[in-house]
């Protein structure tokens, strides 16, 4: 249930903003217990997308320490991409867009590991040149997310880390 709730946080929290330093949830053995969602958008393809995503999932779990069951992947297609500068940049077949949805308590370093692993895995398993990838991170943050009938003001409402208490005389950020 906790995984589902945090997954929904990320899915519905498509707020794009900067990641600020925050606590990180670590599983036993040092793995990250957060659950990003990954949306890959390409031109129509003849790839076995289900098989590719399974391999990408294995690679990202191995490379980042994320529990394989904590990341949701989905693939969609554009009808057409017009990219007049792609040829000059050496990008054949258009740009592949990846939206990475993460909770606000995931660190920049963790997000970077996920992005790098995604790029390497898609190049290896789908033949997509990593230079043709555009990965954009969407960050769900407290007070900018509505789910389960209320505004989420503290990650502990949905199984995440509790907000640090504000020292007396100071206002919360």
């Amino acid at each position: 249930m906790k995984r589902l709730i945090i997954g929904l946080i990320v899915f519905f929290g498509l707020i794009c903003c900067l990641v600020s330093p925050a606590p990180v949830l670590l599983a036993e053995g040092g793995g990250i217990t957060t659950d990003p969602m990954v949306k890959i958008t390409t031109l129509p393809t003849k790839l076995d997308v289900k098989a590719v995503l399974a391999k990408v999932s294995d690679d990202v779990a191995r490379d980042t320490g994320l529990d394989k069951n904590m990341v949701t992947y989905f693939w969609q297609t554009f009808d057409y991409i017009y990219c007049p500068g792609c040829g000059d940049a050496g990008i054949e077949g258009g740009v592949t867009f990846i939206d990475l949805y993460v909770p606000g308590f995931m660190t920049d370093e963790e997000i970077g590991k996920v992005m790098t692993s995604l790029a390497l895995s898609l190049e290896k398993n789908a033949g997509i040149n990593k230079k043709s990838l555009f990965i954009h991170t969407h960050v769900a943050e407290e007070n900018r997310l509505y789910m389960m009938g209320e505004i989420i003001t503290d990650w502990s409402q949905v199984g995440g880390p509790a907000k640090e208490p504000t020292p007396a005389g100071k206002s919360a950020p």
Side-chain angles (χ1 to χ4, degrees):
M1 184 62 144
K2 177 180 170 183
R3 290 177 183 169
L4 173 65
I5 291 171
I6 292 177
L8 289 172
I9 288 170
V10 175
F11 183 74
F12 291 110
L14 309 180
I15 305 300
C16 180
C17 55
L18 295 174
V19 176
S20 58
V24 177
L25 295 179
L26 295 176
E28 287 184 40
I32 306 164
T33 64
T34 186
D35 62 340
M37 292 182 69
V38 179
K39 177 176 68 173
I40 301 167
T41 309
T42 64
L43 287 168
T45 181
K46 294 184 187 224
L47 289 170
D48 179 350
V49 172
K50 184 176 180 179
V52 169
L53 290 180
K55 290 175 183 175
V56 169
S57 176
D58 289 341
D59 289 348
V60 170
R62 180 198 64 231
D63 296 346
T64 65
L66 280 166
D67 181 335
K68 180 176 161 173
N69 296 319
M70 296 292 282
V71 185
T72 302
Y73 298 87
F74 50 108
W75 194 299
Q76 65 184 16
T77 58
F78 289 121
D79 292 330
Y80 185 80
I81 297 173
Y82 177 67
C83 181
C86 284
D88 291 342
I91 298 170
E92 300 297 323
V95 177
T96 295
F97 296 89
I98 300 175
D99 291 295
L100 178 60
Y101 304 99
V102 299
F105 55 83
M106 199 168 172
T107 68
D108 289 343
E109 180 182 354
E110 292 167 340
I111 293 168
K113 284 181 182 179
V114 172
M115 289 190 292
T116 300
S117 179
L118 282 168
L120 294 172
S121 185
L122 284 167
E123 188 168 65
K124 177 177 82 176
N125 296 301
I128 298 171
N129 182 339
K130 66 184 177 184
K131 293 186 181 213
S132 73
L133 297 178
F134 179 84
I135 302 176
H136 185 267
T137 304
H138 300 269
V139 182
E141 291 191 347
E142 297 165 325
N143 299 307
R144 296 182 180 190
L145 177 64
Y146 181 92
M147 69 178 284
M148 300 180 67
E150 63 185 346
I151 295 173
I152 304 305
T153 58
D154 189 303
W155 289 112
S156 64
Q157 290 172 259
V158 288
K163 189 180 286 185
E164 294 292 321
T166 304
K170 303 240 178 179
S171 59

